[in-house]
Amino acid sequence: NISYYRYRQWDRVNDTINKLLSDESKRQEIAAAGKEQVVHNHTWDNRAGVLLKELAPIINHFKSATH
């Protein structure tokens, strides 16, 4: 679902990009895997759950700081 390169190996980045640009099926495979991950893991319910979990301690911190 993503293509990586190693840090400080800039000389290989162009090769990686060119290989992907020349391989339509590989690009489609990567894109499809990324889309599947987004559809299953990044729903409104998941985002709302994270917000509720993360915001509660922040709100409680500010409430206790004002008292």
Side-chain angles (χ1 to χ4, degrees):
N1 59 6
I2 193 168
S3 181
Y4 291 98
Y5 61 90
R6 290 192 176 273
Y7 181 68
R8 294 188 180 178
Q9 292 185 356
W10 300 108
D11 56 325
R12 295 184 184 181
V13 173
N14 283 341
D15 288 339
T16 300
I17 291 170
N18 286 327
K19 283 179 188 176
L20 288 172
L21 288 174
S22 66
D23 190 344
E24 179 68 22
S25 63
K26 185 66 174 173
R27 282 197 325 271
Q28 291 294 329
E29 179 185 329
I30 292 169
K35 181 178 179 180
E36 184 176 335
Q37 185 174 10
V38 167
V39 166
H40 292 292
N41 298 314
H42 298 285
T43 64
W44 283 106
D45 288 342
N46 287 349
R47 294 304 112 220
V50 170
L51 280 172
L52 290 172
K53 178 183 168 189
E54 299 295 327
L55 283 177
I58 295 169
I59 291 169
N60 289 335
H61 172 76
F62 283 111
K63 282 182 180 179
S64 65
T66 59
H67 290 108

